[in-house]
Amino acid sequence: MTETIAKMSQLTRMIETAKRELISIKGVCRVIPLDTADLDKIKELELLDEQIGSKMIGQKHNVGMKRALCSDVVLSLMVNKEYDWPVNTIKMYHKGKMIGEDIQDPNTINELGGDADPFIMGNIVFYDKRSVRNSNMDDPICMFVTEQPCPRLDALEGISDAVIGIPSRYTHDFLQLKIAKDQKEILGSFLVGFNINTRASVPFSVGGDQISMSIKDGKCQLPL
């Protein structure tokens, strides 16, 4: 019993340290703890978003959110316009190869738009038109919303595998309601997950122009 209490106390201190580190990041205005009921609701909302997204583009997988939700500890960041927003977070794959991605720079999009090969949809540039044409329900294009690193937390003793996930609009609205309906300065939200000490595996990963989905983690409860 004494050992269990000591471990819980240590965990609480580590979480509080992580919260202080996160709130010190420019543009972060709130750090919200999430309980089991919150996480269950977020999993439902993210699955809904993937189902709706999959009807539009083939298959959608929010890698960052799945990684965060598989973590030992999950917190939420609420951020304002001063936050250093991640860019190039969407990767499009077909037959295991990256065929497109989101581009935030409008000048780059305009330059690519003048080429004969790329196909542009909003801020997503497809580099391989043939893969777009050849995709179908049996062989769909897959959209992956990538994870973001969190080196500020990984640098803390006892914390590992810190990752930031970009939630769907449904999850953002849910998190917004948890604090207040009228906080206009809040422009976005993120989920931050981290493990206590080192975990041997992760659910899956996206890197370079290839996708690997050979590792699954039952704790996540979000299907690939």
Side-chain angles (χ1 to χ4, degrees):
M1 176 67 74
T2 303
E3 183 179 355
T4 300
I5 293 175
K7 287 183 178 180
M8 290 299 297
S9 178
Q10 181 183 21
L11 175 60
T12 299
R13 288 195 300 271
M14 293 175 66
I15 293 174
E16 290 303 314
T17 299
K19 289 169 64 176
R20 287 195 297 270
E21 187 67 29
L22 292 171
I23 201 67
S24 70
I25 297 173
K26 183 179 180 180
V28 175
C29 44
R30 293 290 297 272
V31 179
I32 306 171
L34 301 173
D35 59 24
T36 301
D38 293 330
L39 296 179
D40 287 342
K41 181 62 177 178
I42 290 171
K43 289 175 184 178
E44 291 178 7
L45 294 172
E46 290 302 309
L47 284 173
L48 173 63
D49 178 68
E50 289 194 347
Q51 290 166 0
I52 293 175
S54 293
K55 293 179 181 179
M56 300 172 61
I57 50 87
Q59 286 185 359
K60 181 178 180 181
H61 300 289
N62 193 327
V63 179
M65 287 296 288
K66 290 177 179 180
R67 285 287 309 275
L69 288 167
C70 285
S71 303
D72 294 334
V73 178
V74 185
L75 303 171
S76 175
L77 302 183
M78 307 300 288
V79 303
N80 59 31
K81 62 182 180 181
E82 295 183 338
Y83 186 74
D84 187 13
W85 208 275
V87 297
N88 197 220
T89 59
I90 296 175
K91 308 290 184 183
M92 310 297 292
Y93 284 79
H94 187 244
K95 297 184 182 297
K97 180 180 179 181
M98 192 182 79
I99 63 168
E101 59 188 331
D102 66 315
I103 304 292
Q104 301 300 322
D105 182 13
N107 293 327
T108 301
I109 293 177
N110 290 334
E111 291 174 3
L112 290 170
D115 295 338
D117 193 48
F119 168 64
I120 299 174
M121 184 174 66
N123 66 330
I124 297 179
V125 177
F126 291 90
Y127 303 115
D128 187 346
K129 284 183 179 179
R130 185 170 59 181
S131 293
V132 177
R133 290 194 298 266
N134 293 341
S135 64
N136 53 53
M137 291 184 63
D138 296 324
D139 187 19
I141 290 174
C142 295
M143 171 191 284
F144 290 87
V145 185
T146 61
E147 63 197 71
Q148 303 298 311
C150 190
R152 296 279 289 269
L153 291 191
D154 274 332
L156 299 178
E157 184 178 357
I159 288 178
S160 65
D161 308 315
V163 63
I164 300 175
I166 304 173
S168 66
R169 169 56 58 178
Y170 305 112
T171 295
H172 171 72
D173 291 344
F174 169 74
L175 295 170
Q176 184 93 341
L177 287 172
K178 281 182 64 66
I179 55 172
K181 296 180 181 180
D182 57 352
Q183 296 212 12
K184 296 180 180 180
E185 77 277 10
I186 294 177
L187 298 182
S189 57
F190 298 89
L191 249 61
V192 180
F194 59 89
N195 294 327
I196 305 303
N197 298 316
T198 303
R199 179 173 295 178
S201 65
V202 296
F204 53 84
S205 61
V206 177
D209 64 350
Q210 299 295 325
I211 178 70
S212 172
M213 296 187 293
S214 61
I215 304 174
K216 297 186 180 182
D217 188 335
K219 178 182 177 183
C220 188
Q221 299 178 1
L222 287 175
L224 303 183

